[in-house]
Amino acid sequence: MSDQLTITLPDGSTREVSPGTTAAEVAASIGSRLAKAAVAARLDEEPVDLGRRIERDCALAIVTSDSDEGRHVLRHSTAHVMAQAVLDLFPGAKFAIGPPIEDGFYYDFELPGGVHFSDDDLARIEARMREIVAADQPFVREEMGREDGLALFGDQPYKREIIESVDASEVGADSSVSVYRNPGPAGEGFVDLCRGPHVPSTKRLGAFRLMKVAGAYWRGDEKRPMLQRIYGTAWESAKALDEHLHRLEEAERRDHRRLGVELDLVSFPEELGAGLALWHPRGAVIRSVMEDYSRARHRESGYELVFTPHIARSNLWETSGHLDFYADGMYPPMELDEGHRYYPKPMNCPFHLLIFRSRIRSYRELPLRFFEFGTVYRYERSGVLHGLLRIRGFTQDDSHIFCTPDQLVPELSSLIEFVLSVLRAFGFEQFEAELSTRPEEKSVGSDEDWEMATRALFEAIDGSGLSYDVAEGEGAFYGPKIDIHVRDAIGRRWQLSTLQVDFQEPQRFELEYVGADNERHRPIMIHRALFGSVERFFGILIEHYAGAFPTWLSPVQCLVLPVADRHEPYAEKVLSQLRAAGVRGELWDATHDTLGARVRRGKLEKAPYVLVVGDDDVSSETVGVNRRGSAEADRGVPVDSFLAALLAEIDERRLPEGAAP
């Protein structure tokens, strides 16, 4: 009988190894390039260190540094190195948690005497980190009992609290505690509480940068101590790090909060309160175009437009379940007439349910699709507010589709196709999806309903051709969902559209329709937000286009500039022709600025076209055309020819028949 173990690799092939063989040795046996790139492994889907010994038949995958999972390990390990550097430089410092996050990592600290980190401190910490990396300290895993862990971290109150909470996500399974040591040449060295895995040694690190310091309440609780959080980023190579830092610079250049002010689109006056925005005329023009296009597409696809109020009595939110499951995200109630409490609405769905319930419905009406631009109000914590991207008052392009069980999968498939079509019209081409399943603790409804809803979502997403991940337990309390993500012009991932299958709300509101058998049946409801919210989608568009909107979306599509005062009557004639064709234009006269200054200002305001008219244009009815992004102007272009080309460009977004440009 062979004493060899069988390991199965991701490609389905198998290898025979001796008991006690490490994951690192398996990687080396496959190839030197894989061994060099390896940072961790997955043993029967459990993340493990490369030093983990194999003692049973198993499935084994080697995790490389250039994968998302590998970068997660790099960042987690770099966070440990940063914590060691801080404790070296600031004796008596307390350290809390330091997880990897998207594109980076952070660690929370409390410095003795209330001292705060400075920018100079970040440079010192980074220099010390590089010394630790150069020292090639190994990451050594050790497991111990809970009491031994409490003794080991006797002078670290935050680590003790984590151990006492017995949170398996932070310390290990059951009552055991796992730690990682980075022993130095003289002995014990740095030790941290952690599940791992980590890179074999600090020499595998080095492509990192410390970014900033911020405040963070311990455990996110405003009543707990305020700690100092150092953010950093780490990558598999210096090249990948440089590319990331370039993306950050580009993201800062595209920041919608700055461009929103510079382009006179939106503002956030303090007098309004946090998380509330004002739309200026130019921003309102873009919003109007967005909404008009969306309404036209919805009408074309068989949706019925509805409007609902901004507040409702508490019993509506009790029936819907929001006061049970979503009260923390709602604004406080208002005590009004007859002693009733009214809440600003955080959702539109209960209102649409009431519209469905307003009369007897027939199966012949289904699927019934309601659509609304409905403004909602959610009490987001001040610390998470971020311009238009995370805001307290916003407008959802909300649809609720009521259908029969047989219609569910075809309707979901059609919805996915519709969503992608509209998003493409706004300039997005790269899509990914995430399917979120039933939450373990906060959910309502029968297992049978959840299974049917989840199965329908899987069938629809599989048929769409979209790549997707499964987020176990991340669904809403009333049903599973699909979230559709896009990649913007600089590769950032944004979650936009959501489709949720809901058996529960129709039950709570006792919705019924009369079927072909003349019996009463309960419909299924699909929640669908396409933009997500108008505000957030607009903020993403600003950053996607860096404020240089495509012509059909631009608030001012053409600027008309007379060279001198005597050319102004002809400039006004050109502007009238543009406006008569539905083109949004402005005339900037020669009273205050030179022509060159006005052209430069037009480019700064990112106008798609700047038209200059002078003596030759007046006599021949032409314009000089300065296209955005072009270094050279086209002279002597007939107005009719320019206008025809412009209208063709605007119509390229393929408006549905009958929609206004």
Side-chain angles (χ1 to χ4, degrees), residues 295-324:
R295 286 191 189 94
R297 291 296 306 271
H298 280 83
R299 285 195 301 269
E300 180 193 50
S301 298
Y303 287 77
E304 298 187 39
L305 186 65
V306 300
F307 294 96
T308 61
H310 290 237
I311 62 173
R313 279 169 31 179
S314 59
N315 60 320
L316 179 68
W317 308 112
E318 290 164 0
T319 301
S320 69
H322 286 94
L323 281 179
D324 291 329

PDB file of all heavy atoms in Angstrom, residues 295-324:
ATOM      1  N   ARG A 295     -36.266  58.035 -19.548  1.00  0.00           N
ATOM      2  CA  ARG A 295     -37.728  57.921 -19.669  1.00  0.00           C
ATOM      3  C   ARG A 295     -38.122  57.382 -21.049  1.00  0.00           C
ATOM      4  O   ARG A 295     -38.999  56.535 -21.175  1.00  0.00           O
ATOM      5  CB  ARG A 295     -38.389  59.282 -19.435  1.00  0.00           C
ATOM      6  CG  ARG A 295     -38.418  59.735 -17.993  1.00  0.00           C
ATOM      7  CD  ARG A 295     -39.323  60.950 -17.820  1.00  0.00           C
ATOM      8  NE  ARG A 295     -39.188  61.507 -16.490  1.00  0.00           N
ATOM      9  CZ  ARG A 295     -38.361  62.499 -16.167  1.00  0.00           C
ATOM     10  NH1 ARG A 295     -37.615  63.063 -17.112  1.00  0.00           N
ATOM     11  NH2 ARG A 295     -38.291  62.937 -14.931  1.00  0.00           N
ATOM     12  N   ALA A 296     -37.452  57.912 -22.085  1.00  0.00           N
ATOM     13  CA  ALA A 296     -37.774  57.471 -23.442  1.00  0.00           C
ATOM     14  C   ALA A 296     -37.496  55.982 -23.612  1.00  0.00           C
ATOM     15  O   ALA A 296     -38.297  55.245 -24.209  1.00  0.00           O
ATOM     16  CB  ALA A 296     -36.978  58.284 -24.459  1.00  0.00           C
ATOM     17  N   ARG A 297     -36.368  55.520 -23.080  1.00  0.00           N
ATOM     18  CA  ARG A 297     -36.037  54.104 -23.195  1.00  0.00           C
ATOM     19  C   ARG A 297     -37.035  53.242 -22.424  1.00  0.00           C
ATOM     20  O   ARG A 297     -37.392  52.143 -22.847  1.00  0.00           O
ATOM     21  CB  ARG A 297     -34.616  53.849 -22.679  1.00  0.00           C
ATOM     22  CG  ARG A 297     -33.505  54.437 -23.542  1.00  0.00           C
ATOM     23  CD  ARG A 297     -33.456  53.814 -24.935  1.00  0.00           C
ATOM     24  NE  ARG A 297     -33.365  52.358 -24.892  1.00  0.00           N
ATOM     25  CZ  ARG A 297     -32.222  51.679 -24.848  1.00  0.00           C
ATOM     26  NH1 ARG A 297     -31.073  52.337 -24.869  1.00  0.00           N
ATOM     27  NH2 ARG A 297     -32.227  50.375 -24.827  1.00  0.00           N
ATOM     28  N   HIS A 298     -37.468  53.732 -21.256  1.00  0.00           N
ATOM     29  CA  HIS A 298     -38.423  52.966 -20.463  1.00  0.00           C
ATOM     30  C   HIS A 298     -39.791  52.902 -21.160  1.00  0.00           C
ATOM     31  O   HIS A 298     -40.439  51.849 -21.180  1.00  0.00           O
ATOM     32  CB  HIS A 298     -38.554  53.550 -19.056  1.00  0.00           C
ATOM     33  CG  HIS A 298     -37.451  53.156 -18.135  1.00  0.00           C
ATOM     34  ND1 HIS A 298     -36.236  53.808 -18.096  1.00  0.00           N
ATOM     35  CD2 HIS A 298     -37.358  52.145 -17.232  1.00  0.00           C
ATOM     36  CE1 HIS A 298     -35.444  53.232 -17.207  1.00  0.00           C
ATOM     37  NE2 HIS A 298     -36.104  52.219 -16.662  1.00  0.00           N
ATOM     38  N   ARG A 299     -40.214  54.033 -21.711  1.00  0.00           N
ATOM     39  CA  ARG A 299     -41.496  54.022 -22.427  1.00  0.00           C
ATOM     40  C   ARG A 299     -41.447  53.036 -23.585  1.00  0.00           C
ATOM     41  O   ARG A 299     -42.393  52.283 -23.832  1.00  0.00           O
ATOM     42  CB  ARG A 299     -41.842  55.428 -22.932  1.00  0.00           C
ATOM     43  CG  ARG A 299     -42.324  56.383 -21.858  1.00  0.00           C
ATOM     44  CD  ARG A 299     -42.989  57.610 -22.481  1.00  0.00           C
ATOM     45  NE  ARG A 299     -42.086  58.345 -23.352  1.00  0.00           N
ATOM     46  CZ  ARG A 299     -41.303  59.348 -22.954  1.00  0.00           C
ATOM     47  NH1 ARG A 299     -41.327  59.735 -21.688  1.00  0.00           N
ATOM     48  NH2 ARG A 299     -40.520  59.972 -23.809  1.00  0.00           N
ATOM     49  N   GLU A 300     -40.325  53.046 -24.292  1.00  0.00           N
ATOM     50  CA  GLU A 300     -40.166  52.144 -25.428  1.00  0.00           C
ATOM     51  C   GLU A 300     -40.232  50.682 -25.003  1.00  0.00           C
ATOM     52  O   GLU A 300     -40.668  49.818 -25.771  1.00  0.00           O
ATOM     53  CB  GLU A 300     -38.810  52.419 -26.101  1.00  0.00           C
ATOM     54  CG  GLU A 300     -38.517  51.558 -27.305  1.00  0.00           C
ATOM     55  CD  GLU A 300     -37.061  51.648 -27.727  1.00  0.00           C
ATOM     56  OE1 GLU A 300     -36.190  51.487 -26.843  1.00  0.00           O
ATOM     57  OE2 GLU A 300     -36.786  51.902 -28.903  1.00  0.00           O
ATOM     58  N   SER A 301     -39.823  50.410 -23.761  1.00  0.00           N
ATOM     59  CA  SER A 301     -39.751  49.022 -23.286  1.00  0.00           C
ATOM     60  C   SER A 301     -40.960  48.611 -22.456  1.00  0.00           C
ATOM     61  O   SER A 301     -40.918  47.597 -21.751  1.00  0.00           O
ATOM     62  CB  SER A 301     -38.465  48.831 -22.463  1.00  0.00           C
ATOM     63  OG  SER A 301     -37.334  49.058 -23.276  1.00  0.00           O
ATOM     64  N   GLY A 302     -42.035  49.402 -22.511  1.00  0.00           N
ATOM     65  CA  GLY A 302     -43.281  48.975 -21.895  1.00  0.00           C
ATOM     66  C   GLY A 302     -43.441  49.303 -20.436  1.00  0.00           C
ATOM     67  O   GLY A 302     -44.270  48.688 -19.748  1.00  0.00           O
ATOM     68  N   TYR A 303     -42.682  50.268 -19.930  1.00  0.00           N
ATOM     69  CA  TYR A 303     -42.829  50.690 -18.538  1.00  0.00           C
ATOM     70  C   TYR A 303     -43.899  51.767 -18.431  1.00  0.00           C
ATOM     71  O   TYR A 303     -44.112  52.551 -19.355  1.00  0.00           O
ATOM     72  CB  TYR A 303     -41.510  51.242 -17.990  1.00  0.00           C
ATOM     73  CG  TYR A 303     -40.463  50.190 -17.733  1.00  0.00           C
ATOM     74  CD1 TYR A 303     -39.742  49.626 -18.788  1.00  0.00           C
ATOM     75  CD2 TYR A 303     -40.186  49.754 -16.452  1.00  0.00           C
ATOM     76  CE1 TYR A 303     -38.782  48.652 -18.564  1.00  0.00           C
ATOM     77  CE2 TYR A 303     -39.223  48.787 -16.213  1.00  0.00           C
ATOM     78  CZ  TYR A 303     -38.524  48.245 -17.273  1.00  0.00           C
ATOM     79  OH  TYR A 303     -37.579  47.282 -17.038  1.00  0.00           O
ATOM     80  N   GLU A 304     -44.555  51.832 -17.272  1.00  0.00           N
ATOM     81  CA  GLU A 304     -45.550  52.850 -17.000  1.00  0.00           C
ATOM     82  C   GLU A 304     -45.009  53.799 -15.938  1.00  0.00           C
ATOM     83  O   GLU A 304     -44.559  53.361 -14.871  1.00  0.00           O
ATOM     84  CB  GLU A 304     -46.857  52.204 -16.542  1.00  0.00           C
ATOM     85  CG  GLU A 304     -47.468  51.300 -17.609  1.00  0.00           C
ATOM     86  CD  GLU A 304     -48.845  50.811 -17.217  1.00  0.00           C
ATOM     87  OE1 GLU A 304     -49.609  51.603 -16.629  1.00  0.00           O
ATOM     88  OE2 GLU A 304     -49.151  49.645 -17.494  1.00  0.00           O
ATOM     89  N   LEU A 305     -45.065  55.090 -16.228  1.00  0.00           N
ATOM     90  CA  LEU A 305     -44.506  56.104 -15.346  1.00  0.00           C
ATOM     91  C   LEU A 305     -45.440  56.364 -14.176  1.00  0.00           C
ATOM     92  O   LEU A 305     -46.651  56.508 -14.353  1.00  0.00           O
ATOM     93  CB  LEU A 305     -44.275  57.400 -16.133  1.00  0.00           C
ATOM     94  CG  LEU A 305     -43.563  58.538 -15.406  1.00  0.00           C
ATOM     95  CD1 LEU A 305     -42.140  58.147 -15.068  1.00  0.00           C
ATOM     96  CD2 LEU A 305     -43.571  59.792 -16.287  1.00  0.00           C
ATOM     97  N   VAL A 306     -44.878  56.424 -12.957  1.00  0.00           N
ATOM     98  CA  VAL A 306     -45.649  56.751 -11.763  1.00  0.00           C
ATOM     99  C   VAL A 306     -44.899  57.812 -10.959  1.00  0.00           C
ATOM    100  O   VAL A 306     -43.702  58.038 -11.152  1.00  0.00           O
ATOM    101  CB  VAL A 306     -45.914  55.508 -10.874  1.00  0.00           C
ATOM    102  CG1 VAL A 306     -46.702  54.456 -11.634  1.00  0.00           C
ATOM    103  CG2 VAL A 306     -44.599  54.924 -10.364  1.00  0.00           C
ATOM    104  N   PHE A 307     -45.626  58.475 -10.051  1.00  0.00           N
ATOM    105  CA  PHE A 307     -45.040  59.429  -9.120  1.00  0.00           C
ATOM    106  C   PHE A 307     -45.542  59.098  -7.720  1.00  0.00           C
ATOM    107  O   PHE A 307     -46.718  58.724  -7.552  1.00  0.00           O
ATOM    108  CB  PHE A 307     -45.431  60.865  -9.467  1.00  0.00           C
ATOM    109  CG  PHE A 307     -44.880  61.354 -10.772  1.00  0.00           C
ATOM    110  CD1 PHE A 307     -45.638  61.289 -11.930  1.00  0.00           C
ATOM    111  CD2 PHE A 307     -43.597  61.872 -10.843  1.00  0.00           C
ATOM    112  CE1 PHE A 307     -45.138  61.738 -13.139  1.00  0.00           C
ATOM    113  CE2 PHE A 307     -43.083  62.318 -12.053  1.00  0.00           C
ATOM    114  CZ  PHE A 307     -43.857  62.252 -13.201  1.00  0.00           C
ATOM    115  N   THR A 308     -44.677  59.262  -6.713  1.00  0.00           N
ATOM    116  CA  THR A 308     -45.084  58.964  -5.342  1.00  0.00           C
ATOM    117  C   THR A 308     -44.574  60.050  -4.404  1.00  0.00           C
ATOM    118  O   THR A 308     -43.604  60.751  -4.719  1.00  0.00           O
ATOM    119  CB  THR A 308     -44.533  57.596  -4.887  1.00  0.00           C
ATOM    120  OG1 THR A 308     -43.097  57.619  -4.921  1.00  0.00           O
ATOM    121  CG2 THR A 308     -45.035  56.478  -5.782  1.00  0.00           C
ATOM    122  N   PRO A 309     -45.195  60.205  -3.232  1.00  0.00           N
ATOM    123  CA  PRO A 309     -44.799  61.277  -2.304  1.00  0.00           C
ATOM    124  C   PRO A 309     -43.474  60.993  -1.612  1.00  0.00           C
ATOM    125  O   PRO A 309     -42.941  59.882  -1.675  1.00  0.00           O
ATOM    126  CB  PRO A 309     -45.953  61.306  -1.292  1.00  0.00           C
ATOM    127  CG  PRO A 309     -46.551  59.951  -1.362  1.00  0.00           C
ATOM    128  CD  PRO A 309     -46.391  59.485  -2.772  1.00  0.00           C
ATOM    129  N   HIS A 310     -42.967  62.026  -0.924  1.00  0.00           N
ATOM    130  CA  HIS A 310     -41.657  61.930  -0.279  1.00  0.00           C
ATOM    131  C   HIS A 310     -41.744  61.399   1.146  1.00  0.00           C
ATOM    132  O   HIS A 310     -40.715  61.047   1.727  1.00  0.00           O
ATOM    133  CB  HIS A 310     -40.978  63.303  -0.266  1.00  0.00           C
ATOM    134  CG  HIS A 310     -40.552  63.766  -1.617  1.00  0.00           C
ATOM    135  ND1 HIS A 310     -39.252  64.093  -1.917  1.00  0.00           N
ATOM    136  CD2 HIS A 310     -41.240  63.933  -2.780  1.00  0.00           C
ATOM    137  CE1 HIS A 310     -39.171  64.466  -3.193  1.00  0.00           C
ATOM    138  NE2 HIS A 310     -40.371  64.371  -3.724  1.00  0.00           N
ATOM    139  N   ILE A 311     -42.916  61.386   1.754  1.00  0.00           N
ATOM    140  CA  ILE A 311     -43.067  60.920   3.128  1.00  0.00           C
ATOM    141  C   ILE A 311     -44.263  59.980   3.198  1.00  0.00           C
ATOM    142  O   ILE A 311     -45.121  59.974   2.310  1.00  0.00           O
ATOM    143  CB  ILE A 311     -43.247  62.092   4.122  1.00  0.00           C
ATOM    144  CG1 ILE A 311     -44.531  62.880   3.793  1.00  0.00           C
ATOM    145  CG2 ILE A 311     -42.025  63.001   4.125  1.00  0.00           C
ATOM    146  CD1 ILE A 311     -44.866  63.940   4.837  1.00  0.00           C
ATOM    147  N   ALA A 312     -44.299  59.208   4.266  1.00  0.00           N
ATOM    148  CA  ALA A 312     -45.445  58.321   4.485  1.00  0.00           C
ATOM    149  C   ALA A 312     -45.538  57.986   5.968  1.00  0.00           C
ATOM    150  O   ALA A 312     -44.549  58.059   6.707  1.00  0.00           O
ATOM    151  CB  ALA A 312     -45.316  57.037   3.674  1.00  0.00           C
ATOM    152  N   ARG A 313     -46.740  57.600   6.394  1.00  0.00           N
ATOM    153  CA  ARG A 313     -46.964  57.254   7.783  1.00  0.00           C
ATOM    154  C   ARG A 313     -46.194  55.996   8.172  1.00  0.00           C
ATOM    155  O   ARG A 313     -45.876  55.154   7.345  1.00  0.00           O
ATOM    156  CB  ARG A 313     -48.456  57.064   8.044  1.00  0.00           C
ATOM    157  CG  ARG A 313     -49.169  58.374   8.235  1.00  0.00           C
ATOM    158  CD  ARG A 313     -50.672  58.305   8.250  1.00  0.00           C
ATOM    159  NE  ARG A 313     -51.249  57.076   8.781  1.00  0.00           N
ATOM    160  CZ  ARG A 313     -52.550  56.872   8.887  1.00  0.00           C
ATOM    161  NH1 ARG A 313     -53.403  57.831   8.506  1.00  0.00           N
ATOM    162  NH2 ARG A 313     -53.033  55.746   9.357  1.00  0.00           N
ATOM    163  N   SER A 314     -45.955  55.879   9.458  1.00  0.00           N
ATOM    164  CA  SER A 314     -45.113  54.795   9.959  1.00  0.00           C
ATOM    165  C   SER A 314     -45.683  53.416   9.643  1.00  0.00           C
ATOM    166  O   SER A 314     -44.924  52.456   9.451  1.00  0.00           O
ATOM    167  CB  SER A 314     -44.915  54.936  11.465  1.00  0.00           C
ATOM    168  OG  SER A 314     -46.157  54.913  12.138  1.00  0.00           O
ATOM    169  N   ASN A 315     -47.028  53.302   9.582  1.00  0.00           N
ATOM    170  CA  ASN A 315     -47.587  51.970   9.352  1.00  0.00           C
ATOM    171  C   ASN A 315     -47.193  51.398   7.987  1.00  0.00           C
ATOM    172  O   ASN A 315     -47.108  50.181   7.808  1.00  0.00           O
ATOM    173  CB  ASN A 315     -49.114  51.978   9.520  1.00  0.00           C
ATOM    174  CG  ASN A 315     -49.803  52.914   8.549  1.00  0.00           C
ATOM    175  OD1 ASN A 315     -49.327  54.018   8.286  1.00  0.00           O
ATOM    176  ND2 ASN A 315     -50.935  52.483   8.010  1.00  0.00           N
ATOM    177  N   LEU A 316     -46.927  52.278   6.996  1.00  0.00           N
ATOM    178  CA  LEU A 316     -46.468  51.782   5.700  1.00  0.00           C
ATOM    179  C   LEU A 316     -45.109  51.105   5.850  1.00  0.00           C
ATOM    180  O   LEU A 316     -44.872  50.021   5.292  1.00  0.00           O
ATOM    181  CB  LEU A 316     -46.370  52.926   4.693  1.00  0.00           C
ATOM    182  CG  LEU A 316     -45.867  52.522   3.301  1.00  0.00           C
ATOM    183  CD1 LEU A 316     -46.893  51.647   2.596  1.00  0.00           C
ATOM    184  CD2 LEU A 316     -45.540  53.746   2.454  1.00  0.00           C
ATOM    185  N   TRP A 317     -44.216  51.726   6.621  1.00  0.00           N
ATOM    186  CA  TRP A 317     -42.866  51.183   6.798  1.00  0.00           C
ATOM    187  C   TRP A 317     -42.875  49.984   7.735  1.00  0.00           C
ATOM    188  O   TRP A 317     -41.972  49.144   7.678  1.00  0.00           O
ATOM    189  CB  TRP A 317     -41.923  52.280   7.294  1.00  0.00           C
ATOM    190  CG  TRP A 317     -42.001  53.496   6.435  1.00  0.00           C
ATOM    191  CD1 TRP A 317     -42.503  54.716   6.761  1.00  0.00           C
ATOM    192  CD2 TRP A 317     -41.613  53.594   5.054  1.00  0.00           C
ATOM    193  NE1 TRP A 317     -42.455  55.575   5.695  1.00  0.00           N
ATOM    194  CE2 TRP A 317     -41.904  54.918   4.631  1.00  0.00           C
ATOM    195  CE3 TRP A 317     -41.048  52.704   4.149  1.00  0.00           C
ATOM    196  CZ2 TRP A 317     -41.652  55.352   3.343  1.00  0.00           C
ATOM    197  CZ3 TRP A 317     -40.786  53.145   2.855  1.00  0.00           C
ATOM    198  CH2 TRP A 317     -41.092  54.453   2.465  1.00  0.00           C
ATOM    199  N   GLU A 318     -43.880  49.884   8.595  1.00  0.00           N
ATOM    200  CA  GLU A 318     -44.033  48.688   9.416  1.00  0.00           C
ATOM    201  C   GLU A 318     -44.472  47.513   8.542  1.00  0.00           C
ATOM    202  O   GLU A 318     -43.956  46.402   8.660  1.00  0.00           O
ATOM    203  CB  GLU A 318     -45.059  48.945  10.527  1.00  0.00           C
ATOM    204  CG  GLU A 318     -44.552  49.906  11.599  1.00  0.00           C
ATOM    205  CD  GLU A 318     -45.682  50.454  12.460  1.00  0.00           C
ATOM    206  OE1 GLU A 318     -46.857  50.087  12.211  1.00  0.00           O
ATOM    207  OE2 GLU A 318     -45.397  51.256  13.373  1.00  0.00           O
ATOM    208  N   THR A 319     -45.432  47.770   7.657  1.00  0.00           N
ATOM    209  CA  THR A 319     -45.892  46.714   6.761  1.00  0.00           C
ATOM    210  C   THR A 319     -44.765  46.232   5.848  1.00  0.00           C
ATOM    211  O   THR A 319     -44.571  45.029   5.645  1.00  0.00           O
ATOM    212  CB  THR A 319     -47.065  47.214   5.894  1.00  0.00           C
ATOM    213  OG1 THR A 319     -48.126  47.637   6.746  1.00  0.00           O
ATOM    214  CG2 THR A 319     -47.559  46.122   4.956  1.00  0.00           C
ATOM    215  N   SER A 320     -43.990  47.173   5.313  1.00  0.00           N
ATOM    216  CA  SER A 320     -42.913  46.803   4.380  1.00  0.00           C
ATOM    217  C   SER A 320     -41.749  46.108   5.072  1.00  0.00           C
ATOM    218  O   SER A 320     -40.962  45.418   4.422  1.00  0.00           O
ATOM    219  CB  SER A 320     -42.406  48.044   3.650  1.00  0.00           C
ATOM    220  OG  SER A 320     -41.711  48.904   4.548  1.00  0.00           O
ATOM    221  N   GLY A 321     -41.632  46.318   6.388  1.00  0.00           N
ATOM    222  CA  GLY A 321     -40.511  45.732   7.119  1.00  0.00           C
ATOM    223  C   GLY A 321     -39.320  46.648   7.279  1.00  0.00           C
ATOM    224  O   GLY A 321     -38.338  46.288   7.938  1.00  0.00           O
ATOM    225  N   HIS A 322     -39.381  47.843   6.702  1.00  0.00           N
ATOM    226  CA  HIS A 322     -38.221  48.733   6.792  1.00  0.00           C
ATOM    227  C   HIS A 322     -37.945  49.180   8.221  1.00  0.00           C
ATOM    228  O   HIS A 322     -36.785  49.363   8.608  1.00  0.00           O
ATOM    229  CB  HIS A 322     -38.417  49.940   5.872  1.00  0.00           C
ATOM    230  CG  HIS A 322     -38.243  49.608   4.421  1.00  0.00           C
ATOM    231  ND1 HIS A 322     -39.298  49.284   3.605  1.00  0.00           N
ATOM    232  CD2 HIS A 322     -37.132  49.501   3.652  1.00  0.00           C
ATOM    233  CE1 HIS A 322     -38.850  49.007   2.389  1.00  0.00           C
ATOM    234  NE2 HIS A 322     -37.542  49.139   2.390  1.00  0.00           N
ATOM    235  N   LEU A 323     -38.982  49.367   9.022  1.00  0.00           N
ATOM    236  CA  LEU A 323     -38.742  49.768  10.411  1.00  0.00           C
ATOM    237  C   LEU A 323     -38.135  48.637  11.228  1.00  0.00           C
ATOM    238  O   LEU A 323     -37.508  48.879  12.256  1.00  0.00           O
ATOM    239  CB  LEU A 323     -40.040  50.259  11.056  1.00  0.00           C
ATOM    240  CG  LEU A 323     -40.447  51.685  10.681  1.00  0.00           C
ATOM    241  CD1 LEU A 323     -41.757  52.067  11.348  1.00  0.00           C
ATOM    242  CD2 LEU A 323     -39.364  52.690  11.060  1.00  0.00           C
ATOM    243  N   ASP A 324     -38.294  47.410  10.760  1.00  0.00           N
ATOM    244  CA  ASP A 324     -37.650  46.282  11.437  1.00  0.00           C
ATOM    245  C   ASP A 324     -36.218  46.065  10.967  1.00  0.00           C
ATOM    246  O   ASP A 324     -35.351  45.693  11.751  1.00  0.00           O
ATOM    247  CB  ASP A 324     -38.449  44.991  11.185  1.00  0.00           C
ATOM    248  CG  ASP A 324     -39.798  45.001  11.875  1.00  0.00           C
ATOM    249  OD1 ASP A 324     -39.910  45.627  12.943  1.00  0.00           O
ATOM    250  OD2 ASP A 324     -40.741  44.393  11.341  1.00  0.00           O
TER     251      ASP A 324
END
